[in-house]
C-alpha cells in the first residue's frame, strides 16, 4: 500500500496491512537507537576559517600570541604621562607639545619624557613612558601642541597586552560550534585553519513515475516532485550539503544505477517513496535484497513503513547511510525530523542532536492510532490577553500555559496535506498508548522552526 495514514484511531477501520503493528515493529525510540548507533561524527578535516562557519571543532584552539598582543589605545586621543596632567580641568587647561602621531598599525615607539604627549589613534601601540590616554573629546585636538581639559584616571583607555587571552590559553574548546563570533575568536588567536568535522554530503532522491520537475506541464496522473526540494532544504537547514538528484521513475534498473553511481560520492542517501507493499515500490525492491537495509515497520504515524541501513561496502569501505522514507510528503518530513536530522547532527559532531520541545495546550482535540506514536503538524501560537492574571504573553520563566497548539490542517495528520504542513511550526508528539487528544490537554511539541 501507499503510506496512506489514518486520521482516526480505531484499529478496526484500518486496512488489513495497516493493522496493529507486526511483532517485529519497533518503537520510535528503538528505531532511533538503531540509527544513532550506526552513526559517528565524520573524521575531522582541516579547513580554512572561511569554510568553517557552522561546523564543529574537533580540536581545542589555543592562542598563538597574547590577545591583544601589545598595550594599545582604546580611544582616539593623546597618549600622556598622567603625572603631567593631575591638575588639568576646563578651568585649568594644560597645553603640552605633541611629539609623535601614532596611527593604528604603526611600529613607532617614541619614548615620552615628562611634558610630552603623542597623538594616538584607537588600536595603536601605547608608546613607552605613557601611562594613560586622554580622549580627543577632552582636548582642543591640536597637532603641534594640544590643550587638555581633563585629568586622566590611572591607565585610562589603555587595553593591556594579554587582557583578552594569554599566549597558550584555550580560546575555543573541541566540540564547539563555530558560529561567527567563534570564527572570529580563532582568527584573533592567530589561527588560519581549524580541525573540524566536515558537513555530510547528502544525496536526495525522489522516486515515482508520477513525478515531474516543478513548473513543467503535468498531464493527468502526474504531480510535481516536492519531496526532493523539501528534503534538500531540510538537509541544508540541518547543516548538511544537499545533492538534489530529483525524481527517478519506478524502475528498479534505473534506481539501482543511480544509487551505484552515487555510492562513492556521498555520506548519506535519502530516498522518498516506494517503501510500501505496492506493486511498484521500487526502493524496497532494490534495497531489500541487498540485506543491508532494514524495512521493519516503525510504530509511528505517519512514517510507519520506512527503511534504514547502508549501501553495501566496497573494498571494506562502508557504503553511505541510507534512509528510505515514505513518499507522502508529511510522512517524509516527519521521518526526516525524527530520524534523519539527529543522524546528520551526529555526523556533524554536534552535541545537541534533537530539536527543542515545549509544552503547549491543545485547542481542538484529535485522535491518534493506538499502538503508534503520532507526530501531528501543529501551529503554535502565544496566548495574549486572556491570561488569568493579565500578565504579558510569552513568559520566559518556563511556564507552559502561554502556548497553544492547533493542528495545521483540517484533515488532521493526513500525510498528503503539504499546504497545511507549510503552516506548521511544530510537531506535537502523541505517545503510543494515547488515542484521544482533547482540548485543554498539555502536549509536548517539537519546535521545527
Ligand atoms: P509512495 O510512498 O511511493 O507510495 O508514495 C505515496 C504518495 O506520496 C503518493 O501519492 C505519491 O504520489 C506521493 N509522493 C511520492 N513521492 C513524492 C514526491 N517526491 N513529491 C510529492 N509527492 C510524492
Ligand atoms: Mg511511489
Amino acid at each position: 500500500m501507499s503510506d496512506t495514514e489514518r486520521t482516526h484511531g480505531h484499529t478496526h477501520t484500518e486496512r488489513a496491512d495497516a493493522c496493529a503493528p507486526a511483532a517485529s515493529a519497533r518503537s520510535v525510540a528503538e528505531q532511533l537507537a538503531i540509527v544513532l548507533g550506526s552513526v559517528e561524527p565524520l573524521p575531522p578535516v582541516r579547513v580554512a576559517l572561511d569554510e568553517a562557519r557552522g561546523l564543529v571543532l574537533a580540536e581545542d584552539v589555543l592562542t598563538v600570541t597574547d590577545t591583544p598582543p601589545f598595550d594599545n589605545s582604546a580611544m582616539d586621543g593623546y597618549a600622556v604621562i598622567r603625572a603631567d596632567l593631575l591638575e588639568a580641568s576646563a578651568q585649568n587647561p594644560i597645553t603640552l607639545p605633541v611629539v609623535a602621531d601614532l596611527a593604528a598599525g604603526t611600529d613607532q615607539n617614541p619614548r615620552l619624557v615628562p611634558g610630552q604627549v603623542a597623538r594616538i589613534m584607537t588600536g595603536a601601540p601605547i608608546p613607552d613612558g605613557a601611562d594613560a590616554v586622554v580622549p580627543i573629546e577632552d582636548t582642543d585636538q591640536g597637532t603641534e601642541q594640544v590643550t587638555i581639559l581633563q585629568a586622566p584616571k590611572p591607565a585610562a583607555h589603555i587595553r593591556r597586552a594579554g587582557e583578552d587571552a594569554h599566549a597558550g590559553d584555550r580560546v575555543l574548546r573541541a566540540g564547539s560550534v563555530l558560529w561567527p563570533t567563534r570564527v572570529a575568536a580563532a582568527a584573533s588567536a592567530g589561527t588560519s585553519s581549524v580541525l573540524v568535522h566536515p558537513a555530510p554530503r547528502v544525496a536526495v532522491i525522489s522516486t515515482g513515475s508520477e513525478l515531474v520537475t516543478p513548473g513543467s506541464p503535468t498531464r493527468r496522473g502526474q504531480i510535481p516532485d516536492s519531496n526532493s526540494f523539501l528534503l534538500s532544504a531540510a538537509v541544508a537547514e540541518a547543516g548538511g550539503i544537499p545533492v538534489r538528484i530529483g525524481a527517478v521513475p519506478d524502475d528498479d534498473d534505473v534506481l539501482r544505477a543511480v544509487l551505484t553511481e552515487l555510492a562513492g560520492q556521498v555520506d548519506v542517501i535519502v530516498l522518498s517513496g516506494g517503501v510500501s507493499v505496492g506493486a511498484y515500490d521500487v526502493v524496497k525492491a532494490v534495497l531489500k535484497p541487498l540485506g543491508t537495509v532494514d524495512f521493519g515497520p516503525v510504530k509511528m504515524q505517519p512514517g510507519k513503513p520506512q527503511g534504514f541501513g547502508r549501501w553495501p561496502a566496497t573494498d571494506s569501505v562502508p557504503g553511505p547511510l541510507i534512509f528510505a522514507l515514505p513518499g507522502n510528503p508529511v510522512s517524509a518530513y516527519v521521518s526526516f525530523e525524527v530520524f534523519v536530522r539527529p543522524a546528520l547532527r551526529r555526523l556533524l559532531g554536534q552535541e545537541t542532536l534533537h530539536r527543542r520541545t515545549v509544552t503547549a495546550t491543545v485547542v481542538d482535540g484529535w485522535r491518534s492510532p493506538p499502538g503508534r506514536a503520532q507526530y501531528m503538524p501543529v501551529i503554535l501560537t502565544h496566548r495574549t490577553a486572556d491570561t488569568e492574571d493579565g500578565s504579558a504573553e510569552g513568559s520566559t520563566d518556563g511556564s507552559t500555559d502561554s502556548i497553544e497548539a492547533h493542528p495545521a490542517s483540517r484533515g488532521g495528520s493526513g500525510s498528503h496535506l503539504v499546504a497545511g504542513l507549510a503552516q506548521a511550526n511544530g510537531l506535537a508528539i502523541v505517545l503510543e498508548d494515547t488515542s484521544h487528544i482533547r482540548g485543554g490537554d498539555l502536549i509536548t511539541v517539537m519546535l521545527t522552526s
Side-chain angles (χ1 to χ4, degrees):
M1 72 161 204
S2 293
D3 180 44
T4 303
E5 299 289 350
R6 302 163 305 132
T7 313
H8 299 290
H10 298 300
T11 308
H12 65 262
T13 64
E14 294 191 289
R15 283 179 290 166
D17 58 5
C19 272
S24 63
R26 285 188 285 262
S27 69
V28 169
E30 288 164 344
Q31 179 79 356
L32 190 58
I34 290 171
V35 169
L36 294 179
S38 331
V39 180
E40 280 179 19
L42 290 174
V45 295
R46 186 159 288 283
V47 300
L49 284 187
D50 283 324
E51 312 295 321
R53 184 200 62 83
L55 297 175
V56 176
L57 266 178
E59 62 178 355
D60 290 345
V61 173
L62 312 182
T63 53
V64 175
T65 57
D66 283 358
T67 315
F70 45 84
D71 291 358
N72 68 93
S73 179
M75 300 287 279
D76 294 333
Y78 295 83
V80 301
I81 297 168
R82 187 169 164 264
D84 294 338
L85 294 162
L86 294 177
E87 306 302 324
S89 69
Q91 292 71 41
N92 181 36
I94 295 178
T95 301
L96 295 172
V98 179
V99 299
D101 191 18
L102 305 174
T106 186
D107 65 353
Q108 284 181 56
N109 189 7
R111 169 163 259 289
L112 298 191
V113 297
Q116 294 182 335
V117 306
R119 194 161 78 130
I120 192 165
M121 300 300 136
T122 305
I126 300 292
D128 287 348
D131 60 4
V133 170
V134 176
I136 208 162
E137 294 81 355
D138 296 336
T139 74
D140 69 351
Q141 308 189 18
T143 51
E144 301 297 319
Q145 56 177 35
V146 63
T147 299
I148 292 174
L149 305 169
Q150 200 166 63
K153 296 208 168 72
H157 308 301
I158 295 180
R159 303 192 286 215
R160 291 291 175 202
E163 169 179 298
D164 199 7
H166 286 291
D169 281 358
R170 180 173 72 180
V171 291
L172 295 171
R173 179 183 69 75
S176 308
V177 181
L178 288 168
W179 55 59
T181 51
R182 291 181 175 166
V183 177
S188 57
T191 301
S192 65
S193 66
V194 280
L195 198 65
V196 294
H197 299 288
R201 286 171 57 80
V202 183
V204 178
I205 306 172
S206 295
T207 66
S209 296
E210 74 279 30
L211 303 175
V212 300
T213 306
S216 330
T218 48
R219 60 156 172 75
R220 178 179 165 78
Q222 293 182 322
I223 57 169
D225 160 30
S226 61
N227 285 352
S228 73
F229 293 90
L230 167 75
L231 296 167
S232 296
V235 164
E237 203 240 9
I241 302 170
V243 180
R244 198 182 63 79
I245 305 300
V248 301
D250 291 316
D251 178 318
D252 296 6
D253 293 334
V254 174
L255 179 61
R256 197 176 292 110
V258 170
L259 292 172
T260 307
E261 193 183 332
L262 279 171
Q265 302 172 17
V266 294
D267 303 296
V268 183
I269 299 175
V270 178
L271 294 134
S272 65
V275 292
S276 292
V277 292
Y280 303 100
D281 277 326
V282 62
V283 172
K284 202 166 182 179
V286 169
L287 295 180
K288 201 161 182 205
L290 300 175
T292 54
V293 180
D294 177 85
F295 285 89
V298 183
K299 289 186 269 181
M300 65 190 283
Q301 187 219 31
K304 180 180 161 201
Q306 56 179 297
F308 169 72
R310 279 190 185 273
W311 186 255
T314 19
D315 303 329
S316 62
V317 177
L321 290 167
I322 293 191
F323 290 89
L325 309 184
N328 269 313
V330 179
S331 313
Y333 176 63
V334 165
S335 303
F336 180 92
E337 282 289 336
V338 175
F339 302 114
V340 185
R341 187 175 181 281
L344 296 182
R345 307 261 312 162
R346 173 151 293 166
L347 288 168
L348 282 156
Q350 294 271 3
E351 284 166 9
T352 310
L353 302 183
H354 299 293
R355 295 281 201 186
R356 285 197 301 128
T357 58
V358 293
T359 304
T361 306
V362 172
V363 180
D364 300 313
W366 66 84
R367 286 172 162 187
S368 175
R372 291 157 81 185
Q374 185 192 47
Y375 290 80
M376 171 67 88
V378 292
I379 300 169
L380 293 175
T381 50
H382 282 269
R383 187 161 51 181
T384 47
D386 61 346
T387 50
E388 277 174 23
D389 62 358
S391 63
E393 65 169 308
S395 67
T396 53
D397 62 2
S399 66
T400 54
D401 61 355
S402 60
I403 304 173
E404 294 183 336
H406 306 251
S409 63
R410 268 182 296 125
S413 70
S415 50
H416 58 290
L417 301 167
V418 200
L421 182 64
Q423 305 312 316
N425 52 5
L427 292 174
I429 306 172
V430 184
L431 302 178
E432 266 184 34
D433 53 7
T434 304
S435 56
H436 286 82
I437 311 302
R438 297 185 176 82
D441 284 358
L442 292 180
I443 195 161
T444 302
V445 181
M446 195 185 206
L447 298 175
T448 53
S449 60

